[in-house]
């Protein structure tokens, strides 16, 4: 199933998982994928980490197993960093062999040892895939608060328009904790004539440490209501997780009420998060059982 076709037909519900790195067995990731597939998402996306101890080979096998063994569509991530034209061709051919025809084309997180080879920006990778492998449905990342390396919000939208014009069929947002920022971004997209469907990526906070890391690595604003909610849990980690899931469920119900194109849950490989999200969306009528 092409994700763009699904988005044209309905509001979607989907999950992200990450495969293990290095030589670790993939059984655990497959178990997580199986548990999440039972929640009947429209697709499950699988992250990609290039280079040394990266997980790019496992991205292909986990994505293939999701399609084959669970009957759910898979969206395989792919980054510019660490990829040449040749490795992109091989990667896409391996995906196609496994029946995976959806790819999320990204620049990639900067890290030592991860270099740009043939593609500087995600838009270059999107254009290459569309030209050489037109059978693929291609998604791209977008940033409700602007990308943290970009000087201002409008320039970030201008760069997003370049990705759409390069051929991006749909967009998935970076995580955000304040829905008002997303609604402002959606208006900005309309102003820039960015018409590709926008899927909202939501990640529940699971602990104080995790939310601090998130704020630094992706630049997401943490509203005071989140800080108050997590502070009320003290050092109780189980309570922090529960509070994070509750906050995320309130967020997705509000997004559902505001007619978003899709809701994508960053599950961090925890099926409990996917299950809670589905229950919340059943409760508000976004999903039907
Ligand atoms: P780009 O669109 O290339 O943008 C990168 C920067 O360059 C931005 O500041 C942008 O404004 C600027 N820019 C873009 N085009 C131009 C231009 N023409 N001229 C000048 N400046 C320009 N990372 C991983 O490593 N693996 C993953 O699996 C992964 N999955 C992700 C999934 C989602 C939904 C999201 C939102 C992010 C994901 N990331 C992942 C993180 C992503 O790689 C980083 O956010 C990265 O910093 C930017 O990626 P991009 O594709 O948006 O890059």
């Amino acid at each position: 199933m092409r994700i763009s076709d699904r988005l044209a037909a309905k509001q979607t519900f989907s999950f992200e998982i990450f495969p293990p790195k290095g030589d670790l067995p993939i059984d655990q990731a497959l178990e997580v994928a199986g548990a999440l597939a039972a929640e009947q998402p429209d697709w499950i996306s699988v992250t990609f980490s290039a280079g040394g101890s990266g997980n790019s080979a496992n991205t292909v096998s986990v994505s293939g197993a999701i399609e084959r063994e669970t009957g759910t569509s898979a969206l395989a991530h792919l980054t510019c960093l660490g990829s040449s034209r040749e490795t992109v061709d091989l990667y896409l051919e391996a995906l196609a062999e496994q029946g995976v025809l959806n790819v999320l084309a990204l620049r990639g997180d900067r890290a030592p040892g991860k270099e740009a080879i043939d593609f500087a920006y995600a838009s270059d990778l999107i254009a290459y895939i569309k030209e050489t492998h037109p059978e693929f449905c291609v998604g791209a990342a977008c940033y409700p608060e602007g990308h943290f390396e970009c000087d201002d919000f409008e320039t970030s939208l201008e760069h997003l328009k370049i990705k759409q014009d390069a051929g991006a069929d749909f967009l998935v947002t970076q995580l955000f904790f304040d829905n008002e920022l997303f609604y402002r971004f959606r208006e900005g997209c309309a102003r820039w004539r960015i018409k590709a469907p926008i899927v909202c990526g939501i990640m529940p906070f699971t602990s104080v440490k995790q939310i601090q890391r998130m704020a630094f690595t992706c630049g997401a604003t943490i509203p005071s209501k989140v800080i108050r909610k997590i502070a009320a849990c003290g050092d109780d980690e189980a309570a922090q997780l529960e509070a994070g899931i509750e906050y995320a469920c309130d967020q997705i119900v509000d997004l559902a009420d505001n007619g978003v194109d899709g809701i994508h849950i960053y599950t961090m490989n925890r099926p409990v998060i996917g299950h809670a999200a589905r229950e919340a969306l059943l409760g508000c009528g976004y999903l039907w059982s």
Side-chain angles (χ1 to χ4, degrees), residues 60-84:
V60 174
S61 17
V62 173
S63 302
I66 288 171
E67 292 270 357
R68 234 182 10 260
E69 288 169 31
T70 75
T72 307
S73 296
L75 168 63
H77 295 199
L78 170 63
T79 67
C80 297
L81 296 184
S83 299
S84 64

Side-chain angles (χ1 to χ4, degrees), residues 211-250:
I211 201 168
Q212 284 168 340
R213 196 175 58 245
M214 281 302 135
F216 275 95
T217 51
C218 71
T221 301
I222 304 179
S224 59
K225 57 187 170 181
V226 168
I227 295 170
R228 278 201 299 274
K229 204 166 174 71
I230 201 163
C233 303
D235 292 335
D236 184 340
E237 288 188 2
Q240 289 175 3
L241 172 64
E242 203 178 313
I245 292 177
E246 188 181 287
Y247 186 87
C249 287
D250 288 348

Side-chain angles (χ1 to χ4, degrees), residues 3-4 7 43 75 102-104 137-141 167-172 196-199:
I3 286 174
S4 53
L7 279 159
W43 73 84
L75 168 63
N102 296 293
V103 69
L104 190 71
C137 173
V138 183
D169 295 302
F170 66 97
L171 306 170
V172 184
I198 306 171
V199 176

Side-chain angles (χ1 to χ4, degrees), residues 16 45-50 55 59 76-81 104-110 114 120-124 126 140-143 146-152 155-160 162-163 171-175 199 201 217-218 264 266:
E16 178 189 279
S45 78
V46 187
T47 64
F48 178 100
S49 172
N55 60 11
T59 301
H77 295 199
L78 170 63
T79 67
C80 297
L81 296 184
L104 190 71
L106 304 142
R107 197 277 310 274
D109 285 324
R110 287 196 191 284
K114 285 193 201 173
Y121 298 114
S123 52
D124 302 328
I126 294 165
C142 63
Y143 302 87
H147 187 259
F148 64 95
E149 288 172 27
C150 193
D151 288 344
D152 62 75
T155 311
S156 200
L157 286 169
E158 187 182 352
H159 293 159
L160 184 56
I162 295 173
K163 287 203 267 201
L171 306 170
V172 184
T173 75
Q174 181 59 279
L175 63 95
V199 176
T217 51
C218 71
H264 186 64
Y266 295 113

